[in-house]
Amino acid sequence: MEEKKKRIFSGIQPSGELTLGSYIGAIRNWVALQNEYDCLFCIVDEHAITVRQEPALLRKRSIAQLAQYIACGLDPEKNIMFIQSHVPQHAELAWILGCYTQFGELSRMTQFKAKSAQHADNITAGLFTYPVLMAADILLYQADLVPVGEDQKQHVELTRDIAQRFNGVYSDTFVLPEPFIPKLGARLMSLDDPTTKMSKSMPEGCVNLMDPPEVIMKKFKRAVTDCETAVKFDKVNKPGISNLLTIYCAATGKTMAEAEAAFAGQGYGVFKPAVGEAVVELLRPIREEAERIVTDKAYLESVYKTGAQRAQYLANKTLSKVQRKIGFVAR
Ligand code: TYM
């Protein structure tokens, strides 16, 4: 008998452009794992509104993000691909799980601390309870594995804690999910400040999936390095070069030793454009394919509508079980 496949859930906020960080840290692994697992890939628009979004732009980005998921190699026939707000069970389960999450736990979340510092004039309750919605996303589908970059590990761990607590009170209800973090490129750093994460909210040092080649080259040529000359991996003393080496290896498939050897005796003036070119070649087919797919509105609509229907079916199973266990009257 064929064994039941394990399940994956992951998502990205349509709060900005998809970045090289989100591609290498997350999407690339989704593509690699899609044959082995039963997968759900989401466009988490409800998470995006935890900081203010321009409505027309949010709508446009949500659809463009789906086109880019497909262009990266995710197959809508194989995977369930959908928009979070189309499946109301996420918000419903989030409310319930919020009643099993401590204020103190949420206060310790690094992303909340960083984002509330960034948006000091708009620290909403939604920004604070964001990780509870993320727990609902994952637990609703009984996901075994959550492929994300390193910055999301803490949220997946909190998800496990919430699930474990709920299971402890009401008997086994949720699968405990594991984060899946890539060995290489789990945390790409900004090109203009290699001590901070490459992030869509700080566009200067960030390479986007849809950037044209000349923009990518310009960003790499300007990348901040150090005042030495050796192309060597040393995270503490040479964070800029180490980040560029990581990107180079992720883009070309070379090992760190091979990359260092390739640039031995050559200065940063040769190295930086070479990294840029490797990234241009990595992203070129994705950009071209995404530009083509995004014009096919009817196709994209059929993908996200079918995705939402299939997701709702699975989500309902978990939600009804939860509602019954906690004592809600059956509908
Ligand atoms: P988001 O939208 O910030 O980021 C999307 C994914 O990309 C990864 N990532 C990076 N990886 C390596 N280097 C970087 N510089 C980099 N920047 C981003 C992130 O780790 C993430 O995997 N809370 C999530 C979205 C979310 C989610 C979920 C994820 C909502 N519900 C359920 C998984 C499961 C977020 O803000 O990702």
Side-chain angles (χ1 to χ4, degrees):
M1 209 176 77
E2 205 183 317
E3 231 177 281
K4 192 168 170 284
K5 281 186 181 171
K6 290 201 169 192
R7 186 163 291 156
I8 279 182
F9 181 95
S10 200
I12 298 182
Q13 303 186 60
S15 53
E17 294 293 316
L18 285 182
T19 69
L20 182 65
S22 52
Y23 179 64
I24 291 175
I27 302 173
R28 200 149 81 150
N29 286 319
W30 305 357
V31 176
L33 296 165
Q34 65 181 332
N35 293 324
E36 273 170 73
Y37 289 81
D38 239 352
C39 303
L40 295 106
F41 298 119
C42 192
I43 292 148
V44 290
D45 54 350
E46 290 174 332
H47 278 93
I49 61 159
T50 53
V51 302
R52 194 79 79 231
Q53 301 294 328
E54 219 264 277
L57 202 54
L58 179 62
R59 198 169 292 122
K60 188 166 164 232
R61 277 182 178 146
S62 299
I63 308 273
Q65 190 166 310
L66 178 62
Q68 290 167 36
Y69 279 3
I70 299 169
C72 286
L74 294 172
D75 182 350
E77 301 287 322
K78 255 186 221 148
N79 308 298
I80 300 181
M81 295 162 75
F82 70 105
I83 299 173
Q84 186 183 30
S85 62
H86 293 182
V87 181
Q89 288 83 354
H90 288 245
E92 273 193 85
L93 183 62
W95 174 259
I96 295 172
L97 295 181
C99 302
Y100 299 83
T101 308
Q102 299 298 309
F103 182 88
E105 289 178 305
L106 294 176
S107 313
R108 286 194 288 276
M109 294 294 117
T110 317
Q111 184 169 306
F112 171 69
K113 289 190 219 163
K115 285 209 175 171
S116 50
Q118 232 176 50
H119 302 274
D121 54 343
N122 187 32
I123 306 176
T124 64
L127 189 63
F128 187 65
T129 57
Y130 175 115
V132 179
L133 179 59
M134 180 159 161
D137 298 340
I138 298 167
L139 300 178
L140 208 41
Y141 302 102
Q142 309 288 358
D144 300 281
L145 208 62
V146 184
V148 283
E150 197 177 75
D151 62 327
Q152 295 302 315
K153 193 168 168 223
Q154 194 185 31
H155 289 159
V156 181
E157 280 162 0
L158 176 69
T159 302
R160 281 177 71 90
D161 291 344
I162 298 171
Q164 217 153 12
R165 184 171 307 144
F166 192 98
N167 288 352
V169 178
Y170 300 101
S171 80
D172 270 1
T173 309
F174 297 121
V175 168
L176 300 186
E178 297 272 353
F180 181 96
I181 317 266
K183 285 201 183 73
L184 184 78
R187 188 179 176 81
L188 296 189
M189 307 309 276
S190 163
L191 297 186
D192 70 348
D193 175 5
T195 61
T196 61
K197 194 188 69 172
M198 181 185 284
S199 156
K200 54 194 158 202
S201 57
M202 286 184 280
E204 304 77 31
C206 182
V207 176
N208 299 324
L209 234 52
M210 298 303 284
D211 279 347
E214 60 280 10
V215 172
I216 297 178
M217 288 307 291
K218 205 159 142 201
K219 287 178 179 170
F220 277 98
K221 283 183 186 158
R222 281 208 313 239
V224 169
T225 51
D226 50 54
C227 48
E228 298 174 13
T229 52
V231 178
K232 258 188 69 183
F233 188 87
D234 176 349
K235 231 172 169 173
V236 178
N237 300 308
K238 299 170 76 68
I241 292 295
S242 303
N243 187 42
L244 291 174
L245 273 167
T246 303
I247 294 174
Y248 183 78
C249 292
T252 59
K254 291 203 164 79
T255 64
M256 200 53 81
E258 285 166 351
E260 284 179 348
F263 296 101
Q266 304 193 50
Y268 299 166
V270 174
F271 175 57
K272 293 205 285 186
V275 183
E277 274 156 26
V279 171
V280 165
E281 291 320 314
L282 176 74
L283 300 184
R284 186 193 302 282
I286 297 174
R287 179 176 45 80
E288 288 174 356
E289 183 66 356
E291 280 169 354
R292 192 184 63 77
I293 300 172
V294 82
T295 59
D296 195 345
K297 299 274 179 283
Y299 168 66
L300 291 169
E301 189 178 320
S302 78
V303 170
Y304 67 68
K305 286 201 165 156
T306 312
Q309 265 171 12
R310 294 170 65 197
Q312 281 207 38
Y313 173 78
L314 297 173
N316 252 334
K317 284 210 231 177
T318 304
L319 186 63
S320 350
K321 193 153 92 174
V322 168
Q323 288 167 331
R324 182 163 41 78
K325 289 203 182 191
I326 60 179
F328 287 181
V329 175
R331 294 178 192 182

